Amino acid sequence: MTETIDAGRPADADRPACRDCGAALVGGGLHVAWCAGCGWNTDPGADAEEEPRGRIERVRRRLARRYGEQLFADLTATGGADGHSARSGRGRSARLAGCLALAVHGLTVALLAAGLAMVVAGRGLVPLLGAVPILLAVVLRPRFGSLRKATADRPVLRRPDAPELFGLLDEVAATVGTTGVEAVVVDTDVNASVRTYGVRQRRVLTVGLGLWEVLAPQERIALLGHEFGHYAHGDTRHGLVVSTAFQSLDTWSYTLAPQESASLLDDLMNLATALPRAAVDGVAGLLDHLTLRGSQRAEYLADEAAARAGGSEAAATLMDRLLCAGTLDGVLRREAVAARTRRGGDRSGDPAEGLWRRLAAQAAAVPATEYERLRRVAELRGHSVDSTHPPTHLRRRLLTAGTPHEPRIVLDPERAARVDAEFAAARRTLARRLLNG
């Protein structure tokens, strides 16, 4: 990925010329042919890019890009995320967000109290009417999630099953300043995350093999360092009070969503819910605004944790892998279609046996020119993993600026092989499930 791209070399017989500047195009074959000099065809899919749905989501993406750029400038000026001593979740905005989240939960408590009072003290139809606010309070109650439900259809690894893996997780968590997880859920996504479940807020790591299998050992350490870094730096959105308030507001929004106008009754219901719907949208937007900047700072700090754990180089190349998430998703979809239609792929045996190896080979074959193109596309579009993340190209640039981190944890081939062996059963199960539909 450090290959030098010759942006000004004239076209020759083997390479087509750029129609704008005449320089030789780079890429081609399975990847986009583009001009590294003038940028022609860098982003051929720009016109097809989908606009975020919903006013709140569009505003969130604009704010995310603006905050990401502002924070990048601030962190660069203070020596990078490593030199930024303030915890991401301890500012005035975070405290206001906590108060607003408590107010959201307070409304749920108030509905429950009002309903119970109507049932106990009311007369006539009042006790029956009291069931309405009680029902609303039950629907809007904070939900802490259930590990049993979350893992019902996916392989789960626990400490007795995977001592090498959990030893590595504990080491990475300690390196970035937090604690490990109780379980590891494995799925096929091109992603990874750490979440909490239950009233006790037990942590669970979800590993998507679509991402894990294409990463080099040090990139895996960087990935784990990033995910644990969120809990080391006090990300407001990961907090119990705020995260459950977002869930309650989402439930309110779904409940009050306007119905399709098919009758006069639908029109009257939409009119009656217009004001509370606007209020819910306003509170959700305010809570989002109060937490977005802190959440973006937490992402930068989690990236710094990734660099400390796995090394700056591995953390930077991890960003490139994330830019290829769409490509990796496409590879898995094509493998699934090929298996179901009995076309393509290695048909000499069970295609599930070689699925993850083929995915890793596809990722390894991506040339440096394609990574460079994707980085430029990310900059043009303001690409981010989602609307709460800073622009990916800025995250990568911050990781490569200043004095690089040497890895604190080195995953040698022997230890990496032992960790891989503990994924073997989950790897086979998920490959067969993906290919067999």
Side-chain angles (χ1 to χ4, degrees):
M1 296 178 203
T2 57
E3 174 185 318
T4 300
I5 298 175
D6 188 348
R9 188 166 64 84
D12 53 34
D14 297 328
R15 288 179 177 269
C18 173
R19 69 180 188 183
D20 288 349
C21 70
L25 298 181
V26 296
L30 295 175
H31 305 287
V32 173
W34 62 289
C35 179
C38 69
W40 175 80
N41 207 41
T42 298
D43 188 10
D47 294 338
E49 184 184 10
E50 292 187 8
E51 183 73 12
R53 294 183 179 181
R55 180 176 57 84
I56 292 178
E57 183 67 14
R58 288 194 295 271
V59 171
R60 179 185 293 167
R61 284 195 176 271
R62 285 197 298 270
L63 286 174
R65 185 168 186 175
R66 188 175 76 192
Y67 288 161
E69 292 169 350
Q70 291 173 349
L71 284 167
F72 173 79
D74 293 344
L75 293 172
T76 301
T78 57
D82 191 31
H84 198 271
S85 59
R87 289 171 63 89
S88 63
R90 296 291 181 85
R92 183 180 62 179
S93 293
R95 291 192 293 271
L96 291 174
C99 292
L100 185 58
L102 287 173
V104 171
H105 295 312
L107 176 60
T108 303
V109 173
L111 285 170
L112 179 62
L116 291 174
M118 292 170 69
V119 170
V120 173
R123 296 181 179 180
L125 292 176
V126 173
L128 292 176
L129 294 176
V132 175
I134 292 175
L135 180 61
L136 281 174
V138 170
V139 171
L140 295 170
R141 74 189 186 280
R143 287 173 170 80
F144 305 108
S146 166
L147 179 58
R148 181 179 57 83
K149 292 180 180 179
T151 61
D153 59 345
R154 293 179 290 177
V156 181
L157 301 177
R158 298 186 184 274
R159 289 185 180 272
D161 309 317
E164 284 288 344
L165 172 62
F166 277 86
L168 178 64
L169 297 178
D170 289 343
E171 187 177 352
V172 174
T175 297
V176 302
T178 186
T179 56
V181 297
E182 183 169 305
V184 176
V185 180
V186 190
D187 61 24
T188 61
D189 291 346
V190 187
N191 201 1
S193 63
V194 175
R195 297 184 60 186
T196 55
Y197 291 92
V199 177
R200 293 168 54 193
Q201 293 292 280
R202 296 173 295 174
R203 292 183 191 174
V204 177
L205 169 68
T206 299
V207 173
L209 292 181
L211 178 61
W212 183 263
E213 292 294 322
V214 306
L215 298 181
Q218 287 309 122
E219 292 168 352
R220 292 177 178 180
I221 297 296
L223 175 67
L224 297 174
H226 176 91
E227 297 305 331
F228 283 120
H230 282 291
Y231 291 90
H233 293 111
D235 188 345
T236 304
R237 287 184 184 236
H238 282 71
L240 178 63
V241 174
V242 173
S243 63
T244 51
F246 272 117
Q247 293 172 12
S248 294
L249 289 168
D250 285 343
T251 304
W252 270 116
S253 183
Y254 176 80
T255 303
L256 297 171
Q259 304 298 312
E260 184 177 353
S261 181
S263 65
L264 178 60
L265 180 61
D266 290 332
D267 293 336
L268 290 175
M269 287 296 295
N270 290 338
L271 182 62
T273 57
L275 187 59
R277 184 166 61 248
V280 169
D281 287 346
V283 172
L286 179 57
L287 186 60
D288 195 71
H289 181 76
L290 290 171
T291 58
L292 185 56
R293 185 179 175 89
S295 181
Q296 296 229 320
R297 182 181 286 107
E299 288 295 336
Y300 281 125
L301 295 177
D303 288 340
E304 191 273 330
R308 281 191 284 119
S312 293
E313 182 179 355
T317 56
L318 174 62
M319 294 295 106
D320 289 333
R321 301 297 193 190
L322 295 177
L323 290 175
C324 282
T327 301
L328 298 174
D329 271 329
V331 171
L332 292 177
R333 285 196 299 270
R334 288 194 297 273
E335 287 278 353
V337 171
R340 293 166 194 169
T341 58
R342 303 295 179 184
R343 294 197 301 270
D346 179 10
R347 312 313 302 176
S348 59
D350 182 358
E353 290 299 324
L355 173 65
W356 306 114
R357 184 180 67 251
R358 294 193 296 274
L359 178 68
Q362 289 268 9
V366 176
T369 54
E370 180 64 7
Y371 282 113
E372 174 62 23
R373 186 188 72 82
L374 290 172
R375 285 193 287 268
R376 295 193 190 189
V377 170
E379 188 165 357
L380 290 170
R381 295 190 184 186
H383 170 278
S384 60
V385 174
D386 60 32
S387 59
T388 66
H389 285 62
T392 306
H393 70 283
L394 295 182
R395 295 172 61 191
R396 189 184 192 282
R397 192 177 300 169
L398 191 63
L399 285 166
T400 57
T403 304
H405 287 282
E406 292 299 321
R408 296 188 183 181
I409 301 173
V410 176
L411 187 57
D412 60 73
E414 292 77 13
R415 190 180 186 188
R418 293 195 298 271
V419 171
D420 265 347
E422 294 174 344
F423 278 101
R427 192 181 288 113
R428 287 191 298 270
T429 297
L430 291 171
R432 288 170 182 160
R433 187 178 299 171
L434 179 69
L435 297 186
N436 294 332

